[in-house]
Every structure is written in C-alpha cells, then in structure tokens.
C-alpha cells in the first residue's frame, strides 16, 4: 500500500508517479497519461546516492533516475536547475524525460481496493513531443 507521494513528473500529457511502499528503498512506479488510470511497473529496491537526493529505481521495464532536488546547495550556491527524471527502457526505446512538478498542483487518486492510480490537474500544460507520445505505453 502506498503510504505517501514521493515523486511526480509530467509534461502536460505523459505522467510518471512514484509512491513509497512502506520502506525507505521500496517504491511503486506508475506510468501513463494524465486523467487516465496509470499502469504499474514492477519496481525493485532503490539505490539512494549521497549527493543530496538522487535516487535510482530499477524496474522490470528499465530504470528510473530521479535527480536530486533543485534546492540542493553545494559550496554556498543554490542556483541549480530543476532536472528532469529519466526513465531508460530496457528494450531500447528512446529514454523518457519528464520535468518534476509540484504534486499539490494535481489530484492524485489511489484506489486502495484495486491499486489503481489516476493523476489529474492543470499543471504545466503544453504539448508533448511526438517522440514521447509513443514510448509511454
């Protein structure tokens, strides 16, 4: 059971949602389109890096690399850009890159009975490049 939201990325159409499943290294990964039920991708235990928050989550379909938060400060500077997540497919499809967004701008519905996750909201809007449309499903 998902006990809290961890990551949310979207470009206005494609969405990647990660929720914590009990432990510090245990996550559930969901991928799909805004406003539609997301499909779950089976995840394995994650690796946490010592750079201030980068997390790597291996799945049965590839690997999700979630860079450290943009607020990370090193050597007194906090002018880091918000980095996108990158999902690298194990079957050779082009990597999926999505910008991190504020989960408070979206409605994240989790049906505890059947585990269906749906994300809706206005968010950043904008279209999605054609090259991305075909790789998420």
């Amino acid at each position: 059971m998902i006990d809290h939201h961890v990551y949310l990325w979207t470009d206005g159409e494609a969405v990647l949602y990660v929720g914590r499943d009990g432990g510090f290294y245990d996550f559930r990964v969901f991928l799909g389109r805004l406003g539609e039920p997301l499909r779950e991708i089976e995840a394995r235990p994650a690796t946490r890096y010592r750079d201030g928050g980068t997390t790597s989550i291996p799945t049965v379909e590839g690997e999700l690399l979630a860079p450290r938060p943009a607020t990370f400060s090193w050597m007194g500077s906090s002018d880091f850009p918000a980095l996108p997540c990158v999902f690298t497919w194990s079957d050779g499809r082009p990597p999926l890159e999505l910008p991190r967004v504020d989960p408070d701008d979206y409605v994240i519905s989790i049906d505890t009975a059947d585990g269906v996750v749906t994300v809706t909201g206005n968010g950043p809007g904008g279209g999605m490049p054609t090259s991305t449309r075909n790789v998420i499903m």
Side-chain angles (χ1 to χ4, degrees):
M1 170 182 263
I2 296 172
D3 59 12
H4 79 272
H5 309 309
V6 179
Y7 300 115
L8 179 65
W9 297 275
T10 185
D11 60 4
E13 187 171 340
V15 64
L16 181 63
Y17 168 76
V18 176
R20 193 174 74 186
D21 192 19
F24 187 67
Y25 298 98
D26 301 319
F27 298 96
R28 292 181 67 188
V29 178
F30 297 85
L31 181 65
R33 299 184 193 286
L34 281 174
E36 298 178 8
L38 306 179
R39 69 180 181 88
E40 185 167 10
I41 300 173
E42 182 182 336
R44 298 185 175 102
T47 300
R48 302 270 190 154
Y49 294 84
R50 294 182 175 194
D51 66 353
T54 297
T55 303
S56 172
I57 304 172
T59 74
V60 296
E61 295 186 32
E63 181 180 18
L64 170 65
L65 181 63
R68 50 120 182 94
T71 57
F72 177 74
S73 178
W74 180 63
M75 306 245 333
S77 173
S78 61
D79 296 331
F80 291 98
L83 300 173
C85 80
V86 178
F87 190 90
T88 305
W89 300 95
S90 56
D91 65 5
R93 282 181 275 180
L96 177 63
E97 288 191 25
L98 295 172
R100 184 181 299 220
V101 295
D102 184 349
D104 291 339
D105 292 341
Y106 296 83
V107 176
I108 301 169
S109 304
I110 303 170
D111 185 333
T112 55
D114 56 15
V116 173
V117 174
T118 306
V119 178
T120 56
N122 297 329
M128 180 169 62
T130 305
S131 61
T132 306
R133 289 180 195 273
N134 299 323
V135 295
I136 65 171
M137 301 312 251

